PDB file of all heavy atoms in Angstrom:
ATOM      1  N   THR G 396     -52.659-134.024  91.334  1.00 95.00           N
ATOM      2  CA  THR G 396     -52.381-135.184  90.492  1.00 95.00           C
ATOM      3  C   THR G 396     -53.474-136.226  90.668  1.00 95.00           C
ATOM      4  O   THR G 396     -53.893-136.511  91.805  1.00 95.00           O
ATOM      5  CB  THR G 396     -51.023-135.818  90.878  1.00 95.00           C
ATOM      6  OG1 THR G 396     -49.995-134.832  90.716  1.00 95.00           O
ATOM      7  CG2 THR G 396     -50.704-137.009  89.986  1.00 95.00           C
ATOM      8  N   LEU G 397     -53.956-136.737  89.542  1.00 94.00           N
ATOM      9  CA  LEU G 397     -54.984-137.789  89.523  1.00 94.00           C
ATOM     10  C   LEU G 397     -54.399-138.966  88.759  1.00 94.00           C
ATOM     11  O   LEU G 397     -53.886-138.778  87.637  1.00 94.00           O
ATOM     12  CB  LEU G 397     -56.259-137.282  88.849  1.00 94.00           C
ATOM     13  CG  LEU G 397     -57.384-138.304  88.629  1.00 94.00           C
ATOM     14  CD1 LEU G 397     -57.969-138.743  89.965  1.00 94.00           C
ATOM     15  CD2 LEU G 397     -58.460-137.717  87.741  1.00 94.00           C
ATOM     16  N   THR G 398     -54.471-140.153  89.346  1.00 94.00           N
ATOM     17  CA  THR G 398     -53.993-141.342  88.658  1.00 94.00           C
ATOM     18  C   THR G 398     -55.182-142.249  88.368  1.00 94.00           C
ATOM     19  O   THR G 398     -55.984-142.522  89.276  1.00 94.00           O
ATOM     20  CB  THR G 398     -52.956-142.112  89.521  1.00 94.00           C
ATOM     21  OG1 THR G 398     -51.892-141.225  89.812  1.00 94.00           O
ATOM     22  CG2 THR G 398     -52.439-143.342  88.800  1.00 94.00           C
ATOM     23  N   VAL G 399     -55.307-142.637  87.098  1.00 94.00           N
ATOM     24  CA  VAL G 399     -56.451-143.496  86.701  1.00 94.00           C
ATOM     25  C   VAL G 399     -55.925-144.676  85.876  1.00 94.00           C
ATOM     26  O   VAL G 399     -54.858-144.608  85.297  1.00 94.00           O
ATOM     27  CB  VAL G 399     -57.499-142.699  85.862  1.00 94.00           C
ATOM     28  CG1 VAL G 399     -58.133-141.613  86.718  1.00 94.00           C
ATOM     29  CG2 VAL G 399     -56.877-142.098  84.613  1.00 94.00           C
ATOM     30  N   SER G 400     -56.702-145.728  85.833  1.00 95.00           N
ATOM     31  CA  SER G 400     -56.365-146.917  85.045  1.00 95.00           C
ATOM     32  C   SER G 400     -57.284-146.941  83.814  1.00 95.00           C
ATOM     33  O   SER G 400     -58.471-146.630  83.909  1.00 95.00           O
ATOM     34  CB  SER G 400     -56.562-148.183  85.859  1.00 95.00           C
ATOM     35  OG  SER G 400     -55.665-148.182  86.960  1.00 95.00           O
ATOM     36  N   ILE G 401     -56.680-147.317  82.695  1.00 96.00           N
ATOM     37  CA  ILE G 401     -57.401-147.318  81.423  1.00 96.00           C
ATOM     38  C   ILE G 401     -57.177-148.665  80.744  1.00 96.00           C
ATOM     39  O   ILE G 401     -56.048-149.138  80.677  1.00 96.00           O
ATOM     40  CB  ILE G 401     -56.884-146.194  80.520  1.00 96.00           C
ATOM     41  CG1 ILE G 401     -57.051-144.839  81.210  1.00 96.00           C
ATOM     42  CG2 ILE G 401     -57.595-146.227  79.158  1.00 96.00           C
ATOM     43  CD1 ILE G 401     -56.352-143.689  80.522  1.00 96.00           C
ATOM     44  N   SER G 402     -58.254-149.263  80.235  1.00 95.00           N
ATOM     45  CA  SER G 402     -58.099-150.548  79.525  1.00 95.00           C
ATOM     46  C   SER G 402     -58.296-150.326  78.036  1.00 95.00           C
ATOM     47  O   SER G 402     -58.981-149.394  77.598  1.00 95.00           O
ATOM     48  CB  SER G 402     -59.100-151.557  80.037  1.00 95.00           C
ATOM     49  OG  SER G 402     -60.418-151.173  79.734  1.00 95.00           O
ATOM     50  N   GLY G 403     -57.689-151.199  77.242  1.00 95.00           N
ATOM     51  CA  GLY G 403     -57.892-151.234  75.818  1.00 95.00           C
ATOM     52  C   GLY G 403     -56.784-150.626  74.970  1.00 95.00           C
ATOM     53  O   GLY G 403     -56.793-150.793  73.740  1.00 95.00           O
ATOM     54  N   ILE G 417     -57.523-136.004  76.988  1.00 97.00           N
ATOM     55  CA  ILE G 417     -57.430-135.576  78.399  1.00 97.00           C
ATOM     56  C   ILE G 417     -56.840-134.159  78.463  1.00 97.00           C
ATOM     57  O   ILE G 417     -57.313-133.336  79.261  1.00 97.00           O
ATOM     58  CB  ILE G 417     -56.607-136.565  79.238  1.00 97.00           C
ATOM     59  CG1 ILE G 417     -57.364-137.912  79.331  1.00 97.00           C
ATOM     60  CG2 ILE G 417     -56.366-136.000  80.630  1.00 97.00           C
ATOM     61  CD1 ILE G 417     -56.567-138.996  80.030  1.00 97.00           C
ATOM     62  N   GLY G 434     -53.273-154.670  78.300  1.00 93.00           N
ATOM     63  CA  GLY G 434     -53.651-154.815  79.681  1.00 93.00           C
ATOM     64  C   GLY G 434     -54.205-153.505  80.230  1.00 93.00           C
ATOM     65  O   GLY G 434     -54.852-152.740  79.514  1.00 93.00           O
ATOM     66  N   THR G 435     -53.912-153.229  81.465  1.00 95.00           N
ATOM     67  CA  THR G 435     -54.360-152.001  82.126  1.00 95.00           C
ATOM     68  C   THR G 435     -53.217-150.994  82.136  1.00 95.00           C
ATOM     69  O   THR G 435     -52.169-151.279  82.722  1.00 95.00           O
ATOM     70  CB  THR G 435     -54.824-152.300  83.554  1.00 95.00           C
ATOM     71  OG1 THR G 435     -55.881-153.243  83.504  1.00 95.00           O
ATOM     72  CG2 THR G 435     -55.338-151.001  84.206  1.00 95.00           C
ATOM     73  N   SER G 436     -53.424-149.873  81.480  1.00 96.00           N
ATOM     74  CA  SER G 436     -52.437-148.802  81.444  1.00 96.00           C
ATOM     75  C   SER G 436     -52.774-147.794  82.531  1.00 96.00           C
ATOM     76  O   SER G 436     -53.926-147.676  82.922  1.00 96.00           O
ATOM     77  CB  SER G 436     -52.433-148.141  80.074  1.00 96.00           C
ATOM     78  OG  SER G 436     -52.131-149.093  79.060  1.00 96.00           O
ATOM     79  N   THR G 437     -51.768-147.063  82.974  1.00 95.00           N
ATOM     80  CA  THR G 437     -51.968-146.062  84.021  1.00 95.00           C
ATOM     81  C   THR G 437     -51.693-144.672  83.461  1.00 95.00           C
ATOM     82  O   THR G 437     -50.655-144.454  82.832  1.00 95.00           O
ATOM     83  CB  THR G 437     -51.011-146.336  85.202  1.00 95.00           C
ATOM     84  OG1 THR G 437     -51.239-147.674  85.666  1.00 95.00           O
ATOM     85  CG2 THR G 437     -51.247-145.368  86.337  1.00 95.00           C
ATOM     86  N   ALA G 438     -52.628-143.757  83.732  1.00 96.00           N
ATOM     87  CA  ALA G 438     -52.445-142.368  83.327  1.00 96.00           C
ATOM     88  C   ALA G 438     -52.325-141.506  84.573  1.00 96.00           C
ATOM     89  O   ALA G 438     -53.161-141.617  85.475  1.00 96.00           O
ATOM     90  CB  ALA G 438     -53.623-141.898  82.488  1.00 96.00           C
ATOM     91  N   THR G 439     -51.291-140.681  84.591  1.00 96.00           N
ATOM     92  CA  THR G 439     -51.115-139.714  85.681  1.00 96.00           C
ATOM     93  C   THR G 439     -51.362-138.350  85.090  1.00 96.00           C
ATOM     94  O   THR G 439     -50.678-137.925  84.162  1.00 96.00           O
ATOM     95  CB  THR G 439     -49.701-139.830  86.287  1.00 96.00           C
ATOM     96  OG1 THR G 439     -49.483-141.170  86.741  1.00 96.00           O
ATOM     97  CG2 THR G 439     -49.541-138.839  87.445  1.00 96.00           C
ATOM     98  N   ILE G 440     -52.388-137.682  85.632  1.00 97.00           N
ATOM     99  CA  ILE G 440     -52.813-136.399  85.082  1.00 97.00           C
ATOM    100  C   ILE G 440     -52.513-135.303  86.107  1.00 97.00           C
ATOM    101  O   ILE G 440     -52.923-135.401  87.250  1.00 97.00           O
ATOM    102  CB  ILE G 440     -54.337-136.422  84.797  1.00 97.00           C
ATOM    103  CG1 ILE G 440     -54.684-137.615  83.896  1.00 97.00           C
ATOM    104  CG2 ILE G 440     -54.798-135.111  84.162  1.00 97.00           C
ATOM    105  CD1 ILE G 440     -56.138-138.057  84.016  1.00 97.00           C
ATOM    106  N   ASP G 447     -62.781-133.613  87.632  1.00 90.00           N
ATOM    107  CA  ASP G 447     -63.980-134.437  87.744  1.00 90.00           C
ATOM    108  C   ASP G 447     -63.687-135.761  87.060  1.00 90.00           C
ATOM    109  O   ASP G 447     -63.441-135.799  85.853  1.00 90.00           O
ATOM    110  CB  ASP G 447     -65.161-133.690  87.098  1.00 90.00           C
ATOM    111  CG  ASP G 447     -66.450-134.478  87.157  1.00 90.00           C
ATOM    112  OD1 ASP G 447     -66.472-135.603  87.735  1.00 90.00           O
ATOM    113  OD2 ASP G 447     -67.451-133.978  86.628  1.00 90.00           O
ATOM    114  N   GLU G 448     -63.730-136.860  87.833  1.00 89.00           N
ATOM    115  CA  GLU G 448     -63.421-138.166  87.213  1.00 89.00           C
ATOM    116  C   GLU G 448     -64.359-138.490  86.076  1.00 89.00           C
ATOM    117  O   GLU G 448     -63.971-139.119  85.097  1.00 89.00           O
ATOM    118  CB  GLU G 448     -63.450-139.280  88.277  1.00 89.00           C
ATOM    119  CG  GLU G 448     -62.990-140.611  87.689  1.00 89.00           C
ATOM    120  CD  GLU G 448     -62.954-141.728  88.709  1.00 89.00           C
ATOM    121  OE1 GLU G 448     -63.064-141.504  89.917  1.00 89.00           O
ATOM    122  OE2 GLU G 448     -62.837-142.886  88.244  1.00 89.00           O
ATOM    123  N   ALA G 449     -65.616-138.046  86.162  1.00 92.00           N
ATOM    124  CA  ALA G 449     -66.572-138.312  85.090  1.00 92.00           C
ATOM    125  C   ALA G 449     -66.114-137.610  83.807  1.00 92.00           C
ATOM    126  O   ALA G 449     -66.259-138.157  82.704  1.00 92.00           O
ATOM    127  CB  ALA G 449     -67.964-137.831  85.479  1.00 92.00           C
ATOM    128  N   VAL G 451     -62.981-136.921  83.009  1.00 95.00           N
ATOM    129  CA  VAL G 451     -61.824-137.684  82.535  1.00 95.00           C
ATOM    130  C   VAL G 451     -62.297-138.957  81.856  1.00 95.00           C
ATOM    131  O   VAL G 451     -61.830-139.330  80.766  1.00 95.00           O
ATOM    132  CB  VAL G 451     -60.855-138.014  83.683  1.00 95.00           C
ATOM    133  CG1 VAL G 451     -59.726-138.930  83.223  1.00 95.00           C
ATOM    134  CG2 VAL G 451     -60.276-136.724  84.283  1.00 95.00           C
ATOM    135  N   SER G 452     -63.264-139.649  82.455  1.00 95.00           N
ATOM    136  CA  SER G 452     -63.806-140.876  81.900  1.00 95.00           C
ATOM    137  C   SER G 452     -64.424-140.613  80.507  1.00 95.00           C
ATOM    138  O   SER G 452     -64.227-141.376  79.574  1.00 95.00           O
ATOM    139  CB  SER G 452     -64.870-141.466  82.810  1.00 95.00           C
ATOM    140  OG  SER G 452     -65.405-142.659  82.287  1.00 95.00           O
ATOM    141  N   GLU G 453     -65.119-139.490  80.387  1.00 96.00           N
ATOM    142  CA  GLU G 453     -65.730-139.116  79.095  1.00 96.00           C
ATOM    143  C   GLU G 453     -64.649-138.863  78.039  1.00 96.00           C
ATOM    144  O   GLU G 453     -64.787-139.270  76.885  1.00 96.00           O
ATOM    145  CB  GLU G 453     -66.587-137.855  79.289  1.00 96.00           C
ATOM    146  CG  GLU G 453     -67.447-137.503  78.107  1.00 96.00           C
ATOM    147  CD  GLU G 453     -68.364-136.331  78.434  1.00 96.00           C
ATOM    148  OE1 GLU G 453     -69.165-136.424  79.391  1.00 96.00           O
ATOM    149  OE2 GLU G 453     -68.258-135.326  77.716  1.00 96.00           O
ATOM    150  N   VAL G 455     -61.612-140.176  77.980  1.00 96.00           N
ATOM    151  CA  VAL G 455     -61.035-141.480  77.651  1.00 96.00           C
ATOM    152  C   VAL G 455     -61.947-142.234  76.700  1.00 96.00           C
ATOM    153  O   VAL G 455     -61.517-142.825  75.719  1.00 96.00           O
ATOM    154  CB  VAL G 455     -60.742-142.294  78.943  1.00 96.00           C
ATOM    155  CG1 VAL G 455     -60.363-143.732  78.622  1.00 96.00           C
ATOM    156  CG2 VAL G 455     -59.657-141.626  79.770  1.00 96.00           C
ATOM    157  N   TYR G 460     -61.524-145.735  74.586  1.00 96.00           N
ATOM    158  CA  TYR G 460     -61.043-146.648  75.614  1.00 96.00           C
ATOM    159  C   TYR G 460     -61.874-146.520  76.859  1.00 96.00           C
ATOM    160  O   TYR G 460     -62.823-145.727  76.921  1.00 96.00           O
ATOM    161  CB  TYR G 460     -59.547-146.354  75.900  1.00 96.00           C
ATOM    162  CG  TYR G 460     -58.785-146.406  74.601  1.00 96.00           C
ATOM    163  CD1 TYR G 460     -58.462-145.221  73.942  1.00 96.00           C
ATOM    164  CD2 TYR G 460     -58.455-147.604  74.003  1.00 96.00           C
ATOM    165  CE1 TYR G 460     -57.828-145.247  72.703  1.00 96.00           C
ATOM    166  CE2 TYR G 460     -57.831-147.653  72.765  1.00 96.00           C
ATOM    167  CZ  TYR G 460     -57.517-146.464  72.113  1.00 96.00           C
ATOM    168  OH  TYR G 460     -56.900-146.509  70.898  1.00 96.00           O
ATOM    169  N   THR G 461     -61.582-147.296  77.885  1.00 95.00           N
ATOM    170  CA  THR G 461     -62.390-147.355  79.076  1.00 95.00           C
ATOM    171  C   THR G 461     -61.605-147.029  80.333  1.00 95.00           C
ATOM    172  O   THR G 461     -60.562-147.666  80.589  1.00 95.00           O
ATOM    173  CB  THR G 461     -63.024-148.776  79.242  1.00 95.00           C
ATOM    174  OG1 THR G 461     -63.720-149.082  78.050  1.00 95.00           O
ATOM    175  CG2 THR G 461     -63.949-148.816  80.445  1.00 95.00           C
ATOM    176  N   LEU G 462     -62.070-146.062  81.102  1.00 94.00           N
ATOM    177  CA  LEU G 462     -61.483-145.756  82.401  1.00 94.00           C
ATOM    178  C   LEU G 462     -62.035-146.790  83.364  1.00 94.00           C
ATOM    179  O   LEU G 462     -63.242-146.933  83.461  1.00 94.00           O
ATOM    180  CB  LEU G 462     -61.863-144.334  82.840  1.00 94.00           C
ATOM    181  CG  LEU G 462     -61.193-143.904  84.148  1.00 94.00           C
ATOM    182  CD1 LEU G 462     -60.393-142.651  83.891  1.00 94.00           C
ATOM    183  CD2 LEU G 462     -62.281-143.612  85.143  1.00 94.00           C
ATOM    184  N   ILE G 463     -61.149-147.555  84.038  1.00 90.00           N
ATOM    185  CA  ILE G 463     -61.660-148.623  84.870  1.00 90.00           C
ATOM    186  C   ILE G 463     -61.565-148.391  86.366  1.00 90.00           C
ATOM    187  O   ILE G 463     -62.193-149.055  87.128  1.00 90.00           O
ATOM    188  CB  ILE G 463     -60.996-149.997  84.503  1.00 90.00           C
ATOM    189  CG1 ILE G 463     -59.503-149.941  84.633  1.00 90.00           C
ATOM    190  CG2 ILE G 463     -61.448-150.418  83.121  1.00 90.00           C
ATOM    191  CD1 ILE G 463     -58.827-151.289  84.430  1.00 90.00           C
ATOM    192  N   SER G 464     -60.713-147.427  86.787  1.00 65.00           N
ATOM    193  CA  SER G 464     -60.660-147.124  88.207  1.00 65.00           C
ATOM    194  C   SER G 464     -59.915-145.867  88.476  1.00 65.00           C
ATOM    195  O   SER G 464     -59.148-145.370  87.655  1.00 65.00           O
ATOM    196  CB  SER G 464     -60.027-148.278  88.989  1.00 65.00           C
ATOM    197  OG  SER G 464     -58.637-148.357  88.694  1.00 65.00           O
ATOM    198  N   ASN G 465     -60.153-145.324  89.645  1.00 60.00           N
ATOM    199  CA  ASN G 465     -59.465-144.131  90.097  1.00 60.00           C
ATOM    200  C   ASN G 465     -58.623-144.534  91.293  1.00 60.00           C
ATOM    201  O   ASN G 465     -59.144-144.981  92.303  1.00 60.00           O
ATOM    202  CB  ASN G 465     -60.500-143.063  90.508  1.00 60.00           C
ATOM    203  CG  ASN G 465     -59.859-141.830  91.109  1.00 60.00           C
ATOM    204  OD1 ASN G 465     -58.649-141.760  91.244  1.00 60.00           O
ATOM    205  ND2 ASN G 465     -60.685-140.886  91.440  1.00 60.00           N
ATOM    206  N   ASN G 466     -57.311-144.366  91.187  1.00 50.00           N
ATOM    207  CA  ASN G 466     -56.418-144.761  92.257  1.00 50.00           C
ATOM    208  C   ASN G 466     -55.879-143.565  93.039  1.00 50.00           C
ATOM    209  O   ASN G 466     -54.853-143.656  93.676  1.00 50.00           O
ATOM    210  CB  ASN G 466     -55.210-145.540  91.668  1.00 50.00           C
ATOM    211  CG  ASN G 466     -55.649-146.761  90.910  1.00 50.00           C
ATOM    212  OD1 ASN G 466     -56.537-147.470  91.353  1.00 50.00           O
ATOM    213  ND2 ASN G 466     -55.042-146.990  89.762  1.00 50.00           N
ATOM    214  N   ALA G 467     -56.593-142.448  92.969  1.00 45.00           N
ATOM    215  CA  ALA G 467     -56.075-141.229  93.605  1.00 45.00           C
ATOM    216  C   ALA G 467     -56.021-141.369  95.110  1.00 45.00           C
ATOM    217  O   ALA G 467     -56.825-142.013  95.721  1.00 45.00           O
ATOM    218  CB  ALA G 467     -56.972-140.043  93.225  1.00 45.00           C
TER     219      ALA G 467
END
Side-chain angles (χ1 to χ4, degrees):
T396 302
L397 174 68
T398 302
V399 295
S400 297
I401 302 169
S402 66
I417 294 174
T435 301
S436 301
T437 304
T439 303
I440 307 158
D447 179 1
E448 186 178 346
V451 174
S452 181
E453 189 174 302
V455 170
Y460 307 99
T461 305
L462 184 121
I463 58 174
S464 69
N465 175 0
N466 301 319

